């Protein structure tokens, strides 16, 4: 039986983890292959410390590789991962596919769409439809033989790849031929080389045509995931219906028709910032501070934080009923000696001269 | 039916949409020659009527329909709109128009943007400038180690590249008959009107009270499972909100085991303009409340969770006047600041806050 021993450097651990994070978005299982002649040895540091052992279940399988004929893939382009990520950032949630094609000599178009069938009532649940025209100059090179050659891939997969490539700050290379033929994405950096093989969808808009795909990143048998990708729970979106407003309780015979308060027009200045600048409760400049009060999943955490907040606790006994009672009991029993207690202590207020001896103030 | 316009005041527009979308997913948008109005009416909870002059968010607009005043009524989902506006924020210009794509009416936003290419370490693209929220590890961008350090030098010197981003928001065109029945609530003259303290503070304290109420309820229950059950989303405590005509505001939580209260004083009760009153000033209910002194409170009860969503409007940084009809209703008027001074008269967001009797 083959034996594989290897040591990862610190950087190796982190880049392997990043790679696994990416690959795990494609499959739960990952195949490791090692080739002897490719492994360069590095001495392990002999550092004292804690040793932790992990045993991971695995099975030996013959490696499965996606098939890709680079000679067939006559179209290619390359672009900085950061540019691609900026493009992808414009797309909203809930989309399934990305279509890219060159519009003309000047522009390349990226469009996201979804194939989920929506009937008339659900039109408003359709995700935001985004398309982006990018100048060819944004690409390092762009060599595609046919304009309007629509290549359609899964957004979920693409996002995972872009994200990983972006960590490495690398250039991404794409090689492909025609729709329904595989597309290869490559990038490298920091001692790691990545190749992904994505199946492209044929004609957009043909519902039955869900291509299965091979993935170079995660080898081994996989379910075709294009169908499963991005199954978002349909959000409840009721249509506004006329709601009867709370009616006045006849305290006045007829409600006044004016809806505005008859207030002399207030100035347009924002309210005074006196309190805001020293708010004790929430961090400033945080958009989340306007989020509705969160009483959801992380309730326990919130409550735990609510209980007794030691950090700002200058009056400890008063904030905690339990300890207040404890204190009262002990004070009762010791109240007789309390006055005779002549240890130095500070009254709530005193003269400056009295406290100078504590060295709290400059002379 | 036609509508197209350049967008302006995108930041305020975006904040407004964010505030509205905390209450409901879908809004009714009404456009006409002069006014743009957003209305949000959730099944339960507070409703909002936000009315602006067209000039406030639109520039060089053209609107046309068969209805009087070229009125167009649309129903549109707020979160795609918010997303599209986020793209617009990072762009240099944005155009919006009503059109049809694949047979579906859409509000199509065309944003011209350019990629910022900072010299040297390519870090300043920045979270703020990026339109995206989908970056699970966005912090990598700001990594001091410079994760882009391996980029070839010449890519950092590339000139800014323009991108044209098109964001299509699905909409439904509403028939005039459909919207005719939707009426803005009518409320009697308020007993107390008062300018609220900074909403950030009011919200922080209100949210804390709401959480306290839930924690108190959970801790009085002996059974741990039952405790977690009551703290689930089904339970929402009611907060008591009171104001007087002497600058006082009171927020109170009263439960079986717990009673907490925050008080504000020295707030402003704006003067009423007699010219706009239906009755004589001395007959106005607020006059009676003022005369009866600082112990005369007008009180309403609000739902803690709903109130938190309402207070989300604080992000607009407007002056907020709350109008209390004692034991009956609470209306909030948010006067949206118009720093460019070109906007029209009426930029006010009106909240009809859901209120409950004791």
């Amino acid at each position: 039986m083959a034996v594989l021993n290897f040591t990862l450097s610190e950087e190796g651990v982190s880049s392997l983890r990043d790679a696994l994070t990416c690959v795990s978005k494609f499959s739960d299982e990952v195949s490791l292959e090692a080739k002897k002649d490719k492994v360069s040895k590095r001495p392990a540091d002999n550092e004292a410390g804690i040793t932790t052992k992990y045993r991971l279940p695995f099975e030996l399988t013959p490696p499965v590789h996606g098939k890709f004929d680079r000679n067939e893939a006559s179209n290619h382009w390359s672009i900085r991962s950061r540019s691609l990520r900026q493009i992808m950032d414009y797309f909203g949630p809930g989309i399934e596919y990305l279509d890219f094609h060159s519009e003309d000599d000047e522009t390349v178009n990226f469009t996201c769409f979804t194939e989920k069938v929506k009937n008339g009532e659900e039109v408003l649940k359709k995700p935001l439809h985004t398309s982006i025209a990018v100048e060819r100059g944004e690409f390092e090179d762009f060599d595609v033989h046919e304009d309007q050659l629509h290549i359609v891939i899964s957004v979920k997969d693409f996002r995972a790849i872009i994200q990983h490539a972006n960590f490495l700050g690398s250039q991404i290379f794409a090689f492909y031929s025609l729709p329904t033929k595989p597309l290869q994405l490559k990038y490298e950096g920091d001692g790691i080389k990545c190749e992904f093989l994505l199946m492209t969808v044929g004609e957009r808009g043909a519902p039955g045509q869900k291509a299965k795909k091979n993935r170079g990143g995660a080898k081994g048998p996989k379910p075709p995931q294009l169908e499963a990708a991005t199954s978002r729970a349909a959000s409840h979106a009721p249509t506004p219906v006329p709601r009867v407003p709370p009616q006045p309780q006849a305290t006045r015979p007829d409600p006044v028709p004016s809806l505005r308060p008859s207030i002399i027009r207030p100035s347009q200045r924002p309210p005074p910032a006196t309190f805001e600048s020293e708010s004790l409760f929430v961090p400033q400049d945080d958009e989340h501070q306007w989020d509705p009060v969160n009483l959801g999943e992380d309730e326990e955490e919130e409550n735990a934080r609510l209980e007794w907040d030691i950090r700002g606790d200058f009056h400890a006994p008063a904030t905690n009923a339990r300890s207040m009672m404890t204190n009262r009991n002990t004070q009762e029993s010791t109240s007789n000696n309390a006055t005779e207690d002549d240890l130095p202590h500070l009254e709530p207020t005193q003269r400056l001269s009295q406290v100078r001896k504590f060295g709290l103030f400059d002379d | 039916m036609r509508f197209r316009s350049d967008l302006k005041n995108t930041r305020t527009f975006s904040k407004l949409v964010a505030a509205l979308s905390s209450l409901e997913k879908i809004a009714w948008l009404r456009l006409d020659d002069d006014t743009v109005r957003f209305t949000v009416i959730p099944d339960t909870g507070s409703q909002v009527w936000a009315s602006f002059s067209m000039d406030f968010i639109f520039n060089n607009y053209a609107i046309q329909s068969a209805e009087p005043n070229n009125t167009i009524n649309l129903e549109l989902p707020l979160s795609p709109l918010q997303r599209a506006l986020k793209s617009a924020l990072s762009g240099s210009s944005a155009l919006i128009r009503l059109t049809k794509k694949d047979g579906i009416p859409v509000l199509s936003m065309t944003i011209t943007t350019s990629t910022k290419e900072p010299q040297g370490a390519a870090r300043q693209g920045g979270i703020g400038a990026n339109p995206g929220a989908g970056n699970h590890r966005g912090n990598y961008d700001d990594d001091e180690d410079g994760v882009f350090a391996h980029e070839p030098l010449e890519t950092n010197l590339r000139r800014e590249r323009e991108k044209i981003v098109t964001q299509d928001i699905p909409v439904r065109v509403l028939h005039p008959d459909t919207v005719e029945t939707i009426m803005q609530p009518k409320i009697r003259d308020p007993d107390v009107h008062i300018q609220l303290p900074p909403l950030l503070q009011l919200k922080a304290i209100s949210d804390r009270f709401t959480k306290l109420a839930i924690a108190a309820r959970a801790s009085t229950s002996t059974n741990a499972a039952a405790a977690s059950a009551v703290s689930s989303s089904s339970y929402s405590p009611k907060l008591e909100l009171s104001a007087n005509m002497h600058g006082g505001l009171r927020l109170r939580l009263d439960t079986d085991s717990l009673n907490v209260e925050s008080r504000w004083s020295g707030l402003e009760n704006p003067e009423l303009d007699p010219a706009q009153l239906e009755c004589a000033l001395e007959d106005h209910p607020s006059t009676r409340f003022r005369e009866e002194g600082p112990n005369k409170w007008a009180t309403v009860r609000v739902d803690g969770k709903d109130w938190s969503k309402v207070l989300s409007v604080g992000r607009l940084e407007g002056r907020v006047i709350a109008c209390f009809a004692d034991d009956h209703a609470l209306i909030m008027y948010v006067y949206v600041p118009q720093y460019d001074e070109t906007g029209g008269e009426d930029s006010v967001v009106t909240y009809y806050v859901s209120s409950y009797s004791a």
Side-chain angles (χ1 to χ4, degrees):
Chain A
M1 181 164 153
V3 175
L4 174 62
N5 279 319
F6 63 93
T7 308
L8 285 170
S9 65
E10 245 175 72
E11 309 87 73
V13 168
S14 112
S15 68
L16 184 61
R17 195 189 52 212
D18 283 349
L20 284 174
T21 306
C22 171
V23 167
S24 67
K25 288 177 185 157
F26 294 82
S27 170
D28 289 338
E29 289 161 8
V30 64
S31 139
L32 282 178
E33 274 181 76
K35 287 180 187 159
K36 197 175 184 182
D37 54 351
K38 290 283 174 65
V39 177
S40 65
K41 277 194 170 178
R42 276 178 70 171
D45 294 331
N46 287 320
E47 284 181 32
I50 301 167
T51 307
T52 315
K53 278 188 183 170
Y54 293 91
R55 287 169 197 274
L56 305 179
F58 69 96
E59 61 178 319
L60 287 176
T61 53
V64 180
H65 291 267
K67 256 192 185 169
F68 183 70
D69 184 354
R70 179 75 169 271
N71 297 322
E72 247 181 50
S74 52
N75 299 314
H76 64 91
W77 46 256
S78 68
I79 190 169
R80 289 171 311 151
S81 55
R82 201 161 66 90
S83 292
L84 269 190
R85 200 189 106 187
Q86 281 172 343
I87 291 167
M88 294 309 291
D89 279 348
Y90 285 107
F91 296 111
I95 43 171
E96 296 172 294
Y97 300 107
L98 171 69
D99 170 328
F100 62 84
H101 59 271
S102 55
E103 201 77 50
D104 47 43
D105 286 347
E106 296 297 316
T107 48
V108 180
N109 192 287
F110 288 79
T111 302
C112 272
F113 65 100
T114 182
E115 282 193 343
K116 285 184 191 133
V117 184
K118 302 282 179 195
N119 61 39
E121 281 301 304
E122 285 183 318
V123 158
L124 297 183
K125 291 186 190 171
K126 280 175 77 76
L128 187 65
H129 183 280
T130 308
S131 91
I132 303 170
V134 183
E135 280 183 49
R136 278 206 186 188
E138 182 101 15
F139 290 79
E140 297 298 322
D141 83 296
F142 194 94
D143 188 6
V144 174
H145 304 304
E146 200 183 321
D147 283 343
Q148 301 291 340
L149 182 68
H150 290 261
I151 300 295
V152 178
I153 55 176
S154 148
V155 165
K156 187 167 153 267
D157 299 351
F158 195 59
R159 275 199 207 274
I161 295 165
I162 302 300
Q163 193 174 21
H164 183 234
N166 204 41
F167 295 161
L168 302 173
S170 19
Q171 183 108 330
I172 293 187
F173 298 82
F175 301 89
Y176 57 96
S177 53
L178 292 169
T180 72
K181 301 283 184 191
L183 163 99
Q184 189 188 50
L185 287 175
K186 278 176 70 166
Y187 55 89
E188 60 180 80
D190 222 3
I192 184 165
K193 285 186 180 177
C194 304
E195 287 184 11
F196 290 84
L197 212 50
L198 300 178
M199 202 48 170
T200 60
V201 179
E203 263 178 42
R204 55 184 283 187
Q209 193 167 12
K210 302 278 188 179
K212 64 176 183 182
K213 56 183 167 179
N214 294 312
R215 282 159 171 149
K219 286 145 193 148
K222 295 165 292 288
Q225 284 192 352
L226 273 182
E227 298 91 326
T230 334
S231 63
R232 300 201 141 256
S235 55
H236 168 68
T239 50
V241 287
R243 201 186 64 154
V244 182
Q247 287 300 315
Q249 305 225 359
T251 38
R252 304 202 113 221
D254 53 348
V256 181
S258 164
L259 292 164
R260 291 289 146 67
S262 347
I263 288 164
I264 294 168
R265 188 164 175 75
S267 70
Q268 293 296 345
R269 71 188 153 79
T274 36
F275 293 116
E276 287 171 83
S277 57
E278 50 193 14
S279 167
L280 294 171
F281 297 98
V282 280
Q284 296 290 300
D285 297 326
D286 177 5
E287 268 298 293
H288 293 301
Q289 70 204 3
W290 298 115
D291 289 348
V293 59
N294 179 12
L295 304 166
E297 308 269 274
D298 48 354
E299 194 117 87
E300 298 207 349
E301 192 187 322
E302 291 292 329
N303 286 344
R305 194 162 59 90
L306 246 185
E307 277 181 325
W308 342 109
D309 190 348
I310 308 297
R311 286 166 298 166
D313 194 359
F314 300 117
H315 310 281
T319 56
N320 181 328
R322 202 164 45 197
S323 67
M324 201 153 74
M325 280 185 263
T326 321
N327 285 355
R328 193 182 55 199
N329 292 341
T330 51
Q331 269 164 19
E332 273 166 11
S333 60
T334 59
S335 57
N336 289 339
N337 340 355
T339 45
E340 294 155 29
D341 181 5
D342 53 7
L343 287 170
H345 63 277
L346 295 181
E347 290 301 323
T349 56
Q350 55 256 295
R351 292 170 193 283
L352 267 180
S353 58
Q354 289 178 292
V355 294
R356 283 204 196 281
K357 60 182 173 182
F358 296 112
L360 294 173
F361 301 93
D362 293 331
D363 286 325
Chain B
M1 188 174 289
R2 262 172 41 105
F3 171 68
R4 64 178 287 139
S5 173
D6 294 329
L7 278 184
K8 70 173 186 183
N9 256 334
T10 325
R11 189 161 297 280
T12 305
F13 190 9
S14 165
K15 286 178 176 177
L16 170 73
V17 172
L20 297 180
S21 67
S22 68
L23 283 163
E24 178 60 308
K25 291 191 172 76
I26 291 182
W28 162 31
L29 170 63
R30 184 183 180 282
L31 300 156
D32 66 26
D33 284 337
D34 312 303
T35 314
V36 49
R37 193 179 68 195
F38 286 88
T39 304
V40 158
I41 307 179
D43 286 345
T44 56
S46 303
Q47 53 174 290
V48 191
W49 295 68
S51 190
F52 301 94
S53 79
M54 288 288 272
D55 296 333
F56 186 56
I57 49 175
F58 299 127
N59 218 2
N60 305 321
Y61 61 91
I63 184 167
Q64 192 189 341
S65 84
E67 301 305 313
N69 295 324
N70 292 310
T71 305
I72 296 176
N73 286 292
L74 302 174
E75 203 179 23
L76 85 173
L78 288 168
S79 114
L81 175 61
Q82 198 181 347
R83 181 100 201 167
L85 286 169
K86 211 170 174 184
S87 307
L89 277 177
S90 66
S92 48
S93 71
L95 174 89
I96 194 167
R97 69 197 166 94
L98 184 62
T99 182
K100 256 191 181 183
K101 290 197 180 169
D102 300 331
I104 295 170
V106 293
L107 263 183
S108 181
M109 211 184 279
T110 307
I111 299 137
T112 308
T113 180
S114 49
T115 313
K116 296 278 181 294
E117 297 285 358
Q119 304 294 309
R123 268 191 247 117
Q124 299 303 319
I127 300 298
N130 264 335
N135 46 332
H136 305 292
R137 297 176 69 174
N139 286 343
Y140 268 60
D141 274 1
D142 289 334
D143 195 333
E144 281 303 310
D145 296 328
V147 286
F148 301 114
H150 297 287
E151 281 182 279
L153 183 62
E154 72 264 26
T155 63
N156 289 334
L157 302 174
R158 291 177 150 259
R159 68 174 180 87
E160 292 190 358
R161 293 287 175 183
E162 205 175 70
K163 292 190 187 72
I164 313 279
V165 180
T166 311
Q167 302 278 27
D168 293 334
I169 302 143
V171 296
R172 233 161 48 144
V173 179
L174 298 176
H175 194 269
D177 293 350
T178 316
V179 296
E180 208 172 65
T181 51
I182 311 176
M183 305 287 276
Q184 199 156 353
K186 288 187 172 152
I187 312 284
R188 65 175 166 90
D189 269 352
D191 299 309
V192 170
H193 47 268
I194 192 164
Q195 179 173 345
L196 292 183
L199 290 205
L200 184 58
Q201 189 190 54
L202 187 54
K203 181 175 187 300
I205 293 173
S206 302
D207 287 355
R208 183 152 279 221
F209 279 21
T210 301
K211 288 177 180 178
L212 261 177
I214 287 171
R217 194 177 149 116
S219 65
T220 49
S221 170
T222 48
N223 184 321
S228 70
V230 292
S231 70
S232 75
S233 54
S234 59
Y235 171 64
S236 185
K238 305 291 178 284
L239 305 177
E240 188 185 288
L241 197 62
S242 314
N244 62 25
M245 284 301 290
H246 295 264
L249 178 75
R250 200 170 65 183
L251 178 70
R252 182 187 271 173
L253 168 67
D254 203 352
T255 71
D256 294 343
S257 58
L258 177 75
N259 189 335
V260 280
E261 181 179 300
S262 278
R263 276 174 187 255
W264 287 261
S265 56
L267 302 175
E268 189 192 345
N269 301 103
E271 281 178 38
L272 296 177
D273 179 2
Q276 293 186 37
L277 288 183
E278 295 280 315
C279 59
L281 182 56
E282 50 273 21
D283 294 335
H284 195 269
S286 68
T287 308
R288 188 169 60 87
F289 268 70
R290 192 192 300 273
E291 283 165 357
E292 291 197 26
N295 288 326
K296 183 68 177 171
W297 297 90
T299 300
V300 294
R301 274 154 214 85
V302 296
D303 176 282
K305 289 181 191 172
D306 179 60
W307 178 236
S308 181
K309 294 174 184 173
V310 167
L311 292 177
S312 161
V313 77
R315 68 179 87 217
L316 279 170
E317 296 168 344
R319 189 179 192 233
V320 184
I321 310 291
C323 293
F324 289 74
D326 185 30
D327 203 24
H328 172 53
L330 171 63
I331 309 174
M332 267 170 52
Y333 298 92
V334 181
Y335 294 88
V336 180
Q338 296 179 26
Y339 298 111
D340 62 356
E341 299 296 334
T342 58
E345 286 276 300
D346 292 303
S347 294
V348 63
V349 183
T350 307
Y351 279 77
Y352 295 90
V353 182
S354 275
S355 46
Y356 298 81
S357 53

